[in-house]
Amino acid sequence: MSQCLKQIAGLNSILVNAQLPHRATVILLHGYAMTAADLAPFGSSLDIRARFVFPDGPRAAETAGRAWWLPDLEKRRAALQSGPRDLLDEQPEGILAARAQLGQFIAATRERFPGQSLVLGGFSQGGMLACDCLLHECVTVDALMLLSSSRINFTDWKPRLARLRGLPVFVSHGRSDPDLAFTAGEGLRDMLLSAQAHVTWVPFEGGHQIPLPVWRAARKFLHSVIS
């Protein structure tokens, strides 16, 4: 499949199927210490009649790759001593700037590809930002995909959940995730169900990853949204 590099709203982005006529655009955000190039093969392999957009996060991660915000790594290491985490009480420093920039990115993508359905999603930190932005910014999407993610700043999210009512949402999480607890994924799922979103829940045997069962389920989900 064809790929090209573009800058959209200040973010370097990989576009897959950029030149083909499609009815849908899918924006997928990478996780912490990853890059757009890490996630782009996932979209390319789905063989979906959609345009995929993979932006690079605006911050350089402290280890390698990019980030949407910089977590406190010492705090993270200390928390992981007790096992995988649920970040529902986390208030990330830098989240305000990250969500505002993503809102601008979504608006610029809509302007570039007008009249199309838009799916927003992300893996891990990217999924957290996607949901946070949708709850706070004046953006609308036709579906949401949250891969191995968690709630953040849930006290702030809770009164805004009505925005998710009726929205198709794909949620996947590994039962053996060493970073974000499986219960964090279940909590995210339950939050969405309470908001009366239309949830596709895909638990899997594995860790912090996107394995074949998720690939298959994501492909089916996107087919249903696009059609």
Side-chain angles (χ1 to χ4, degrees):
M1 295 188 178
S2 62
Q3 292 190 12
C4 66
L5 301 177
K6 296 287 184 181
Q7 188 170 94
I8 302 175
L11 297 179
N12 294 326
S13 305
I14 297 175
L15 275 63
V16 177
N17 291 341
Q19 305 305 322
L20 299 179
H22 294 304
R23 292 183 300 169
T25 297
V26 182
I27 298 172
L28 290 179
L29 313 179
H30 63 74
Y32 176 74
M34 295 175 63
T35 66
D38 295 324
L39 199 54
F42 170 72
S44 300
S45 67
L46 288 171
D47 193 24
I48 297 291
R49 297 287 296 175
R51 178 182 294 101
F52 288 86
V53 184
F54 301 93
D56 266 329
R59 309 292 298 274
E62 295 179 29
T63 50
R66 309 295 297 178
W68 300 101
W69 66 82
L70 297 181
D72 185 329
L73 294 185
E74 286 299 324
K75 181 180 176 182
R76 178 180 180 272
R77 280 190 284 267
L80 286 173
Q81 294 296 317
S82 302
R85 306 162 298 154
D86 187 337
L87 302 181
L88 78 163
D89 294 323
E90 189 84 2
Q91 300 181 44
E93 185 176 348
I95 187 65
L96 297 180
R99 82 165 67 121
Q101 186 161 23
L102 179 57
Q104 294 167 8
F105 183 88
I106 293 170
T109 301
R110 279 201 179 278
E111 183 176 348
R112 184 181 290 259
F113 307 116
Q116 297 193 345
S117 299
L118 181 66
V119 179
L120 174 66
F123 174 76
S124 192
Q125 189 187 75
M128 300 174 213
L129 176 59
C131 192
D132 185 82
C133 179
L134 193 56
L135 290 172
H136 286 87
E137 296 293 313
C138 293
V139 298
T140 58
V141 299
D142 297 283
L144 182 65
M145 298 182 70
L146 306 175
L147 311 172
S148 296
S149 296
S150 170
R151 297 162 293 176
I152 55 172
N153 201 10
F154 184 55
T155 301
D156 183 49
W157 279 16
K158 197 170 182 178
R160 304 171 186 271
L161 293 178
R163 295 189 180 196
L164 303 176
R165 178 174 298 176
L167 184 70
V169 186
F170 180 94
V171 185
S172 66
H173 212 98
R175 298 183 187 277
S176 303
D177 193 320
D179 187 8
L180 297 174
F182 184 65
T183 53
E186 291 179 312
L188 182 60
R189 173 204 64 193
D190 293 344
M191 177 198 81
L192 293 161
L193 289 171
S194 72
Q196 299 181 45
H198 297 311
V199 179
T200 298
W201 166 240
V202 185
F204 61 90
E205 302 301 327
H208 202 60
Q209 60 193 123
I210 307 175
L212 185 57
V214 174
W215 181 91
R216 288 174 175 154
R219 190 170 187 270
K220 183 178 180 180
F221 175 81
L222 286 172
H223 265 307
S224 68
V225 170
I226 292 170
S227 62

